[in-house]
Amino acid sequence: MNTQQQQRSLHLSLMPSVAETASAPSENTDWREAGLEEDAGLVLLLEALASPVRFRLLRLLAQEGGNLCVRELVERIPRSQPVVSHHLRLLLFARLIGVKRLGTHNYYYILPDKLKEIREALSSVEHLLQQRREDQR
């Protein structure tokens, strides 16, 4: 399996539906040109957080200040090592977490920039909604 195929297999499920929806026959504009590419990246981040297992992994990393290995994460949630590793790979792919090798173990930690990006995007939606409410008064 080449690198591109591996990335596709790790790819979160929503991205193809975003691309398919945007390229529907009734639309003449490519989804990248319509500004959906940026939104699609945010949707991938949100989808990565939408899994209870992945969200729990992020919470554990935040509670422990990061730097937990798979074994330590498996001890804290009721999932097998392969399941935890799979979810960690998806979080890595979404760039919500990073990994560093120390000795024979990989230690995972949160990348705060992506969480900040999510927070800012949701905040901008909230701000637009509030502006709309004020304009309707």
Side-chain angles (χ1 to χ4, degrees):
M1 184 181 285
N2 68 30
T3 305
Q4 189 174 14
Q5 288 172 327
Q6 287 173 336
Q7 284 180 343
R8 258 189 252 135
S9 70
L10 286 176
H11 209 279
L12 300 172
S13 63
L14 192 55
M15 188 61 168
S17 63
V18 170
E20 290 165 12
T21 302
S23 63
S26 62
E27 296 182 26
N28 295 328
T29 307
D30 184 270
W31 65 281
R32 285 176 223 123
E33 293 173 13
L36 294 178
E37 186 172 311
E38 181 180 322
D39 290 343
L42 178 63
V43 167
L44 285 174
L45 291 174
L46 293 172
E47 190 173 79
L49 291 172
S51 161
V53 173
R54 291 190 292 273
F55 192 77
R56 179 72 177 142
L57 288 169
L58 281 176
R59 287 183 66 180
L60 286 169
L61 290 171
Q63 287 170 353
E64 299 294 327
N67 298 319
L68 292 173
C69 69
V70 174
R71 180 187 51 77
E72 293 168 320
L73 291 166
V74 168
E75 289 172 358
R76 290 170 171 83
I77 64 171
R79 296 291 185 269
S80 67
Q81 182 274 320
V83 168
V84 170
S85 292
H86 168 75
H87 286 286
L88 288 169
R89 276 192 303 275
L90 291 173
L91 290 169
L92 281 166
F93 182 75
R95 294 190 177 107
L96 287 165
I97 64 171
V99 62
K100 63 183 172 186
R101 183 116 180 134
L102 292 173
T104 59
H105 297 285
N106 288 328
Y107 288 86
Y108 297 88
Y109 56 93
I110 293 177
L111 296 172
D113 289 345
K114 288 295 181 176
L115 295 176
K116 181 180 176 187
E117 183 179 328
I118 293 168
R119 187 173 48 255
E120 288 172 354
L122 293 175
S123 179
S124 71
V125 170
E126 184 179 31
H127 178 72
L128 290 171
L129 181 59
Q130 187 162 359
Q131 272 185 327
R132 182 171 172 90
R133 285 180 183 155
E134 289 172 5
D135 290 345
Q136 290 176 347
R137 290 182 188 167

